[in-house]
Amino acid sequence: LMALAIDRYYIILDNHGYKSPLRGRHRVKAAIAFIWIYAVVVNSPQLHLLHLTPDESSTCDIFYDSDSYNIPYFIVAFILNYCIPLLIMIVMYARIIIHLKVAVVNRDQNSSNTTNFQINRKRSISVIRMIVIATLLYMIISFPVPVIMVATALKRMTIVQLRQSVHPILSSLITA
């Protein structure tokens, strides 16, 4: 989603020349490969912590290894996988929103045709609405998983133990 935010930023702000860093098949393929390699590198240490609990439910759980492994890893993963992409998305989309608002005002001052102004204004509002919805959905949907992982590390528990120790309503939100 961060790559899409950056690409949208270049598309909207430079719509005449479209100088996106992702233009061309080779660059798109390189960007996709980089995203997958990044995901594997950042998230692969988590494989060391995954354990299958041999009980009737055969639950796959995050094992607590040590303070020097779990806590730093999950905090760094939270920052790299959630905070930094969210910050970049907010900055890119804020710049797009500012650009669209300024463009609509400038068109209004330079145009005597109110119909064109209303059409451009409606387009800009729909783009802004889409940007806000996409960013909010990313924030809401992505937030629980890294927070649960950091909570398990700070509490020195597995996910199953954390789930059993919290309020029943919160427990239903923590998937094991």
Side-chain angles (χ1 to χ4, degrees):
L1 292 175
M2 183 181 71
L4 288 174
I6 294 169
D7 194 47
R8 287 177 182 154
Y9 171 78
Y10 283 105
I11 290 171
I12 292 173
L13 264 61
D14 190 20
N15 57 2
H16 300 294
Y18 184 63
K19 296 178 182 170
S20 169
L22 298 179
R23 101 186 135 217
R25 280 188 176 179
H26 296 296
R27 287 188 183 178
V28 170
K29 287 179 181 179
I32 292 170
F34 173 76
I35 291 167
W36 276 100
I37 291 168
Y38 171 83
V40 168
V41 168
V42 171
N43 296 309
S44 63
Q46 201 173 64
L47 294 175
H48 168 70
L49 300 173
L50 292 177
H51 291 279
L52 188 63
T53 309
D55 60 0
E56 66 276 350
S57 64
S58 296
T59 305
C60 185
D61 199 0
I62 301 291
F63 175 73
Y64 182 77
D65 188 56
S66 68
D67 283 350
S68 62
Y69 189 86
N70 287 56
I71 294 171
Y73 170 71
F74 285 119
I75 289 174
V76 168
F78 175 68
I79 292 168
L80 291 176
N81 290 339
Y82 183 78
C83 296
I84 292 174
L86 179 61
L87 180 66
I88 291 172
M89 286 172 61
I90 289 171
V91 168
M92 293 291 116
Y93 287 147
R95 289 182 176 182
I96 291 171
I97 289 169
I98 290 167
H99 173 78
L100 289 175
K101 285 186 175 185
V102 168
V104 167
V105 170
N106 288 342
R107 282 187 206 133
D108 181 39
Q109 293 172 353
N110 297 334
S111 174
S112 60
N113 189 348
T114 57
T115 307
N116 285 339
F117 169 73
Q118 291 298 329
I119 291 170
N120 289 331
R121 184 174 173 274
K122 286 181 182 180
R123 285 181 189 159
S124 295
I125 289 172
S126 67
V127 169
I128 291 169
R129 189 175 297 137
M130 181 269 313
I131 287 170
V132 170
I133 289 170
T135 305
L136 287 174
L137 282 175
Y138 172 76
M139 288 171 50
I140 292 167
I141 292 170
S142 300
F143 188 69
V145 174
V147 168
I148 290 168
M149 296 303 179
V150 170
T152 59
L154 293 175
K155 291 280 193 173
R156 296 170 179 81
M157 299 178 166
T158 66
I159 293 178
V160 171
Q161 291 169 336
L162 181 69
R163 188 175 187 187
Q164 293 168 351
S165 69
V166 297
H167 191 275
I169 293 174
L170 290 176
S171 177
S172 66
L173 298 175
I174 302 172
T175 57

